[in-house]
């Protein structure tokens, strides 16, 4: 008799985006003539820049001729792409060997799969609120107890509370944990950890033989030169941290699909030698995954060219101008807004003590604007609200104008 993986039954109903969709539909049925402005979803909207498009076209052409056709590539990813990424890190003072770089089809798959190289009895800590993939992948792997729907959390997990008092960057846990997930710049709060804040985690991890899984998917959105874009800018991090990153937000590859993970040779945990975790990830990827698309990898090479980087940075600057427009507009109304300075998300305190969902309805029904309830990202997100700076300028301006003239505060 086949048996199901019952850990799937523990997952809290993944109802955030379906519930948002349901409420929008209901609103539209009642108000068929009103426009809905969507500031909810973290999805890129602007076209790829010319250098990247060029690289992709050339890759397609290469597949059309027998001399340039390629099938399966290097298992860890094209060597020239890994070299280009090593150069990219080198410019931040981080020296990586190309063996430590693993090309993938994105940061979501990597951040959900990476837990499989660790035993199921590891105690795991998460930032709260967090990108839901970290928690859910560890539930499916069997590391949690049951879900408490009152509290909105799982027993058996450690939640590192992020709130306005700690600037949405937590202290390391005051107990011993084994795995820690960090995301900076953060989705959903937009907060960015400083060098000192990351160092506390690196010191904690080295002291406890713990491993940090660091999601840097928004690193390119940092404009403040003093803020770290890679955890490896902190000394000692190679011994205790895995970094995951992506071309999705960096270069608009949300649909193209390309990411990378860094698993350093120096990385160890309580019961492994240096090199063993790197070999585990190689084994995992070569067993379960057959490499990123060669077209996407050629696109990635174009992104990392001098022109490509310049053009992608211009698109990021456009999104960050959107963030500024939203932030200024809402602050002028007296709302409390965090984030949006070095990352594309704004984290809004729901006014008047409203819950996240109450504010969702208010913003939708009064201003026709859709955002994401903070409670959907974890219990500490309750009372907050995420707005995304991804979008066309005119839509962003319209949404802010509608909030300004219609939201009753
Ligand atoms: C968007 C996002 C990703 C990107 O995942 P891809 O699979 O590369 O598209 C990863 N982490 C966070 C926190 C994100 O918001």
């Amino acid at each position: 008799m086949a048996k199901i993986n019952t850990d799937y039954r523990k997952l809290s109903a993944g109802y955030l985006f379906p519930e948002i969709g349901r409420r929008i539909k209901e609103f539209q049925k009642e108000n068929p003539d009103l426009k809905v402005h969507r500031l909810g979803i973290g999805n890129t909207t602007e076209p790829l820049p010319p250098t990247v498009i060029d690289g992709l076209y050339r890759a397609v052409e290469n597949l059309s001729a027998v001399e340039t056709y390629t099938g399966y590539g290097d298992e860890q990813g094209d060597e020239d792409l890994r070299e280009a990424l090593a150069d990219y890190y080198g410019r931040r003072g981080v020296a990586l060997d190309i063996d430590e770089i693993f090309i993938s089809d994105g940061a979501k798959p990597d951040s959900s799969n990476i837990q499989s190289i660790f035993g199921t009895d590891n105690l795991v800590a998460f930032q709260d609120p967090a990108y839901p993939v970290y928690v859910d992948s560890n539930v499916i792997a069997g590391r949690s107890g049951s879900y408490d729907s009152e509290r909105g959390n799982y027993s058996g997990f450690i939640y590192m509370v992020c709130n306005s008092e700690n600037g949405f960057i937590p202290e390391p846990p005051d107990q011993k944990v084994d795995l820690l997930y960090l995301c900076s710049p953060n989705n959903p709060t937009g907060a960015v950890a400083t060098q000192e804040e990351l160092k506390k985690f690196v010191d904690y991890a080295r002291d406890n033989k713990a491993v940090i899984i660091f999601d840097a998917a928004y690193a390119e959105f940092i404009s403040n030169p003093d803020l770290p874009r890679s955890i490896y800018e902190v000394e000692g991090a190679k011994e205790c941290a895995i970094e995951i990153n992506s071309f999705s937000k960096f270069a608009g590859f949300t649909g193209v699909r390309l990411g990378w993970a860094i698993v350093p040779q120096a990385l160890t945990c309580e019961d492994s030698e240096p090199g063993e975790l790197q070999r585990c990830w190689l084994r995992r990827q070569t067993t379960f995954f057959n490499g990123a698309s060669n077209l996407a990898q050629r696109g990635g090479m174009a992104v990392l060219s001098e022109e490509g980087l310049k053009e992608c940075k211009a698109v990021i600057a456009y999104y960050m101008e959107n963030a500024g427009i939203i932030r200024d507009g809402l602050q002028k109304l007296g709302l409390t807004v965090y984030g949006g300075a070095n990352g594309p998300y704004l984290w809004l305190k729901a006014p008047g003590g409203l819950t996240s969902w109450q504010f969702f309805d208010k913003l939708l029904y009064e201003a026709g604007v859709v955002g994401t309830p903070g409670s959907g990202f974890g219990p500490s997100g309750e009372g907050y609200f995420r707005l995304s700076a991804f979008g066309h300028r005119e839509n962003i301006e319209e949404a802010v104008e509608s909030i300004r003239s219609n939201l009753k505060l």
Side-chain angles (χ1 to χ4, degrees):
M1 277 192 298
K3 306 245 183 351
I4 198 167
N5 175 356
T6 52
D7 290 316
Y8 277 83
R9 294 189 182 138
K10 289 184 190 158
L11 290 169
S12 68
Y15 82 121
L16 179 63
F17 288 103
E19 178 62 17
I20 290 173
R22 193 190 67 74
R23 292 190 190 206
I24 296 172
K25 233 183 235 150
E26 200 171 288
F27 170 78
Q28 283 176 320
K29 207 160 43 177
E30 291 167 28
N31 305 279
D33 305 323
L34 292 183
K35 181 164 176 189
V36 173
H37 310 277
R38 290 169 198 266
L39 298 182
I41 295 184
N43 197 357
T44 49
T45 56
E46 301 310 297
L48 299 183
T51 301
V52 179
I53 289 293
D54 236 37
L56 289 167
Y57 270 127
R58 269 186 284 122
V60 171
E61 269 163 24
N62 282 346
L63 293 181
S64 73
V66 71
E67 298 79 18
T68 49
Y69 171 82
T70 51
Y72 292 129
D74 295 340
E75 288 182 313
Q76 256 185 268
D78 291 351
E79 226 172 275
D80 59 352
L81 179 57
R82 287 184 287 136
E83 264 155 20
L85 280 168
D87 283 349
Y88 170 82
Y89 277 91
R91 293 196 285 278
R92 301 284 303 173
V94 174
L96 293 173
D97 193 282
I98 65 164
D99 283 357
E100 301 174 309
I101 304 174
F102 296 79
I103 307 299
S104 73
D105 56 347
K108 182 175 184 175
D110 282 353
S111 61
S112 59
N113 292 329
I114 195 73
Q115 47 75 28
S116 77
I117 66 173
F118 298 99
T120 49
D121 54 352
N122 282 291
L123 180 59
V124 196
F126 306 94
Q127 278 173 291
D128 173 29
Y131 184 56
V133 175
Y134 318 139
V135 171
D136 289 359
S137 59
N138 278 284
V139 172
I140 291 168
R143 292 193 185 86
S144 74
S146 55
Y147 183 68
D148 180 337
S149 53
E150 279 294 299
R151 293 207 172 119
N153 64 15
Y154 290 89
S155 63
F157 284 164
I158 303 301
Y159 290 79
M160 299 182 284
V161 173
C162 302
N163 54 27
S164 54
E165 279 106 75
N166 60 22
F168 302 96
I169 303 293
E171 293 287 323
D174 48 20
Q175 68 185 101
K176 194 167 157 38
V177 304
D178 306 311
L179 297 174
L180 303 100
Y181 286 77
L182 294 177
C183 174
S184 173
N186 192 264
N187 177 11
T189 67
V192 188
T194 62
Q195 183 87 15
E196 296 69 40
E197 286 163 338
L198 283 187
K199 184 170 185 315
K200 285 188 199 172
F201 276 93
V202 168
D203 290 346
Y204 171 92
R206 289 167 83 193
D207 289 347
N208 292 288
K209 284 275 170 204
V211 173
I212 298 166
I213 294 154
F214 187 75
D215 186 339
Y218 297 96
E220 279 295 321
F221 288 73
I222 294 175
S223 53
N224 179 343
D226 298 330
L227 292 169
R229 297 182 191 193
S230 162
I231 194 161
Y232 304 120
E233 291 176 40
V234 177
E235 204 198 314
K238 280 189 190 168
E239 291 163 33
C240 65
I242 290 170
E243 180 161 300
I244 287 165
N245 206 327
S246 169
F247 289 86
S248 281
K249 316 296 163 39
F250 173 4
F253 274 31
T254 38
V256 177
R257 310 302 307 144
L258 190 68
W260 72 92
I262 311 287
V263 185
Q265 294 283 1
L267 181 72
T268 55
C269 58
E270 189 182 325
D271 54 356
S272 81
E273 293 298 312
E276 192 177 358
L277 288 166
Q278 186 273 353
R279 289 195 300 279
C280 284
W281 185 242
L282 179 63
R283 190 71 163 89
R284 193 274 165 208
Q285 288 301 77
T286 53
T287 303
F288 283 67
F289 179 60
N290 235 344
S293 154
N294 49 11
L295 300 175
Q297 294 191 73
R298 294 300 86 200
M301 278 301 284
V303 169
L304 295 172
S305 68
E306 202 179 319
E307 269 312 297
L309 281 173
K310 215 184 287 165
E311 292 168 5
C312 290
K313 279 182 203 298
V315 179
I316 288 171
Y318 175 90
Y319 291 132
M320 290 311 297
E321 278 168 36
N322 285 348
I325 291 168
I326 300 170
R327 195 185 53 228
D328 294 350
L330 299 187
Q331 279 175 344
K332 269 189 205 136
L333 296 176
L335 290 163
T336 306
V337 191
Y338 303 94
N342 291 283
Y345 297 110
L346 296 112
W347 191 239
L348 187 65
K349 181 94 190 98
L354 296 180
T355 67
S356 298
W357 278 111
Q358 285 169 339
F359 186 66
F360 176 91
D361 287 335
K362 181 179 168 70
L363 194 64
L364 177 59
Y365 279 82
E366 291 178 9
V369 173
V370 176
T372 314
S375 54
F377 299 98
S380 300
E382 182 57 277
Y384 287 93
F385 203 73
R386 189 190 77 174
L387 295 174
S388 157
F390 293 113
H392 306 309
R393 180 65 43 84
E394 60 275 23
N395 295 348
I396 300 283
E397 283 170 342
E398 267 177 38
V400 172
E401 176 52 29
S402 178
I403 294 172
R404 199 189 63 75
S405 39
N406 300 313
L407 191 70
K408 299 185 190 81
L409 289 169

